[in-house]
Amino acid sequence: MARAASRSVGIVAALGIVYFFGLSGLLRAAAPAGNSVVYVVTPTHDRLTRFAALVSLGQALALAATRTNILWLVVEDADELDPAVSRLLADLRVPHEYFTSHTSGKGEHRGVQQRNAALDLIQQRAQAGVVYFADDDNTIRSELVSRLARIPRDSFTVFPVGNQGYFGLEGPVVDTSHATDTSAQARIVQWCCDLCRRRWNVDMAGLAFHSSVLTLSPRLAIRFSHESEPGFLETDVLSLVEDTGAQFVLSQQLVDAVYVWHDSTAPTAVAAFYDADWVTSAVLARRPESKEQIVRGFSWAQDSLPSATWVP
Ligand code: UGA
Ligand code: MN
């Protein structure tokens, strides 16, 4: 009797161990690697299109959150939270924090104070992660988030954003044929752009960096500035990131196809062409070979841009 009991205890214990490790294995497979997080920063304010836009963005993030740790930082440009947005965020079940940062004295730029408030919060957090700025009028493919999660410590990246620029997208034009060789260096030689005199021709939704970059240089605060020229918020913050000594990386997937669109409900005045599949190889094929062939919407990249390594 005692023997039978101890045997069954043994069987139960063994089953328990198998169950525990089997389950934790399953959980490991389903849950994001490590305890890093993708911080998605969204400034928002009350306008007609914002609720529907937040539904779209939020549902994509909800799907992404099944694979990747996300903390969605939604920053209301007002003195009070909007109850409708609070309810929407609760319904979506995306891990989030919703707080206010009311722009004091409207400058030329939008969302600056809200994004900086979120950066303050991220910098105070012990949890490391990747910082990404998704405005409330952005549409994303959920896979974007798991790609972003791969950006290593002390690194930053850029990638194209749809609906902007003459060729229907704005961002780097990169030959990815050597991307599987992680020791290979990649260079941005050209940009698809509409304000082409910038060092970094990317939309706000076309850049990301690891949170460790925020404290990489004790001299430099990585924040957006109202002093930036119109259209220069992104390039100016990326120049600051470069100055910290952060490593530049590129993701093959994020440059081979468009994963995010800005203002997707309204065609931009400058976009003249687009490719229906949003794969960037067609843009690569149109790429001018010499400076004389440069037309509107393309520019050569500055030689002083850093070379990148490929994110595995
Ligand atoms: C463009 C860029 O896409 C922005 O990322 C950048 O902040 C802006 O230029 C700039 O340089 O100021 P654009 O599409 O013209 O932005 O502007 P909006 O989409 O109207 O605003 C950008 C973000 O700021 C949105 O998430 C919006 O909800 C938010 N915003 C806008 C506020 O928080 N407060 C406002 O008063 C206006
Ligand atoms: Mn916008």
Side-chain angles (χ1 to χ4, degrees):
M1 182 70 188
R3 212 179 189 160
S6 81
R7 191 186 300 140
S8 48
V9 166
I11 290 167
V12 168
L15 281 173
I17 287 167
V18 168
Y19 178 72
F20 175 77
F21 284 106
L23 189 65
S24 66
L26 273 179
L27 285 176
R28 256 201 314 279
N35 69 347
S36 71
V37 64
V38 176
Y39 291 105
V40 179
V41 175
T42 303
T44 186
H45 77 301
D46 187 12
R47 57 176 160 176
L48 177 69
T49 50
R50 80 102 162 242
F51 193 85
L54 281 178
V55 169
S56 152
L57 180 60
Q59 288 182 341
L61 291 176
L63 187 55
T66 62
R67 294 189 293 259
T68 308
N69 274 326
I70 293 182
L71 184 60
W72 191 12
L73 301 173
V74 182
V75 196
E76 182 75 38
D77 187 358
D79 288 326
E80 288 176 10
L81 298 180
D82 184 316
V85 172
S86 295
R87 280 195 299 277
L88 174 65
L89 292 171
D91 289 349
L92 286 166
R93 295 169 185 269
V94 180
H96 66 272
E97 289 180 30
Y98 178 38
F99 56 96
T100 65
S101 173
H102 195 175
T103 298
S104 45
K106 299 274 174 191
E108 180 86 42
H109 294 292
R110 295 156 294 275
V112 164
Q113 202 169 308
Q114 291 72 37
R115 293 189 198 98
N116 287 347
L119 289 172
D120 290 345
L121 188 143
I122 294 166
Q123 203 167 329
Q124 287 154 17
R125 294 284 157 94
Q127 192 176 23
V130 172
V131 182
Y132 181 64
F133 303 100
D135 283 351
D136 63 6
D137 55 1
N138 294 173
T139 299
I140 65 162
R141 288 185 187 179
S142 63
E143 303 94 305
L144 169 72
V145 183
S146 54
R147 311 270 185 234
L148 291 174
R150 296 181 187 190
I151 296 167
R153 282 186 72 80
D154 300 349
S155 303
F156 69 102
T157 196
V158 296
F159 45 91
V161 174
N163 285 48
Q164 307 296 301
Y166 193 65
F167 287 90
L169 57 91
E170 180 176 51
V173 182
V174 190
D175 180 351
T176 62
S177 49
H178 300 291
T180 46
D181 176 4
T182 50
S183 64
Q185 296 281 307
R187 291 204 75 85
I188 295 175
V189 181
Q190 285 174 329
W191 297 106
C192 265
C193 46
D194 57 4
L195 179 57
C196 298
R197 60 194 170 80
R198 293 172 296 171
R199 180 171 173 78
W200 296 93
N201 284 285
V202 291
D203 186 79
M204 189 62 75
L207 65 100
F209 52 84
H210 196 278
S211 63
S212 64
V213 170
L214 293 171
T215 49
L216 203 52
S217 163
R219 289 182 300 110
L220 290 169
I222 308 300
R223 295 293 184 275
F224 294 93
S225 169
H226 274 295
E227 304 298 310
S228 286
E229 224 186 291
F232 275 63
L233 275 187
E234 298 87 347
T235 190
D236 286 354
V237 93
L238 282 167
S239 292
L240 277 175
V241 167
E242 269 189 275
D243 289 347
T244 66
Q247 296 297 307
F248 179 39
V249 297
L250 284 168
S251 154
Q252 179 183 6
Q253 290 89 354
L254 291 183
V255 292
D256 271 349
V258 171
Y259 281 77
V260 52
W261 293 261
H262 178 182
D263 212 0
S264 33
T265 52
T268 69
V270 287
F273 303 98
Y274 77 98
D275 292 301
D277 58 2
W278 294 99
V279 170
T280 59
S281 52
V283 170
L284 209 65
R286 287 190 204 106
R287 183 177 57 167
E289 295 298 329
S290 74
K291 281 199 191 330
E292 291 69 52
Q293 294 173 333
I294 287 280
V295 290
R296 191 180 156 199
F298 267 110
S299 100
W300 294 88
Q302 293 178 14
D303 289 340
S304 60
L305 280 185
S307 56
T309 49
W310 294 104
V311 180

